[in-house]
Amino acid sequence: MITALSIVITTILTILLLVNFRNKKCLPGPWNLPVIGYLHKLDPVAPYLTLTKLVQTYGPVYGIKLGSINVAVIADAKILKKVLAIDETLERPPLYMINTAFKHKGVAFASVDLWREQRKFLAIFLRTVGAAKVSPNKKACEELIKKHAEKFVQTVKSKACASQ
């Protein structure tokens, strides 16, 4: 009886110490559960709303955990621009499902070097076809891209419907 009581008291004290102890080098932010982090509190339909509410409490830069991954949330455009100018912040997080599906390819999921190369190619290509900021062909280029994007979406929808 006494050993069971001492185990319970030790467990409760350990949990209280862990909850109240936080690394002072961490960004401010809400408490996260050990395995799932803050995922249980994110709105599944509009997670940006949950993150926006946290800005009011913790400021424009705060930290949360999504699963076991530490995430810095930056909600200020000036700060974000400064942070993205630093090469170390351009790496993508090690998300197993995304890495498996996209194999670190594509503009959104590429590693830093590949991302720079693709971005440069895309900028040069768009400039070549007339999508510069000030260009007489800009409107025509926008319409062409819109037309092809709509055709692509229709093709994907038709293939999705056919496979079901």
Side-chain angles (χ1 to χ4, degrees):
M1 178 72 176
I2 293 176
T3 57
L5 183 61
S6 65
I7 291 173
V8 169
I9 290 173
T10 305
T11 305
I12 290 173
L13 286 174
T14 304
I15 291 171
L16 287 173
L17 284 172
L18 289 174
V19 167
N20 289 322
F21 174 75
R22 187 167 181 151
N23 187 346
K24 300 301 178 196
K25 293 180 182 179
C26 288
L27 291 171
W31 291 105
N32 302 292
L33 293 177
V35 176
I36 62 173
Y38 201 72
L39 287 172
H40 67 293
K41 295 223 177 171
L42 284 179
D43 183 347
V45 177
Y48 60 91
L49 293 176
T50 307
L51 298 175
T52 303
K53 287 179 186 172
L54 292 173
V55 169
Q56 297 168 354
T57 307
Y58 300 106
V61 179
Y62 61 91
I64 61 172
K65 283 186 93 163
L66 298 179
S68 61
I69 299 172
N70 290 319
V71 177
V73 179
I74 303 171
D76 183 285
K78 290 178 182 176
I79 296 171
L80 183 61
K81 189 173 182 178
K82 288 179 185 176
V83 169
L84 290 177
I86 303 168
D87 281 347
E88 290 80 13
T89 61
L90 296 177
E91 275 298 327
R92 302 299 185 252
L95 301 173
Y96 177 75
M97 285 177 45
I98 290 175
N99 292 342
T100 302
F102 294 99
K103 297 176 179 60
H104 297 283
K105 304 256 188 291
V107 176
F109 304 108
S111 62
V112 177
D113 295 331
L114 181 60
W115 173 78
R116 279 195 179 116
E117 185 179 322
Q118 290 176 346
R119 188 175 135 228
K120 185 177 178 180
F121 170 78
L122 188 60
I124 291 169
F125 172 77
L126 289 174
R127 216 175 302 125
T128 303
V129 297
K133 288 183 181 178
V134 180
S135 169
N137 298 334
K138 183 178 179 184
K139 192 69 174 170
C141 187
E142 286 176 3
E143 292 299 322
L144 186 63
I145 291 171
K146 184 178 176 183
K147 181 179 119 183
H148 285 295
E150 288 171 352
K151 187 175 179 182
F152 174 73
V153 169
Q154 289 173 353
T155 304
V156 170
K157 282 183 180 178
S158 67
K159 295 208 184 239
C161 291
S163 66
Q164 289 180 353

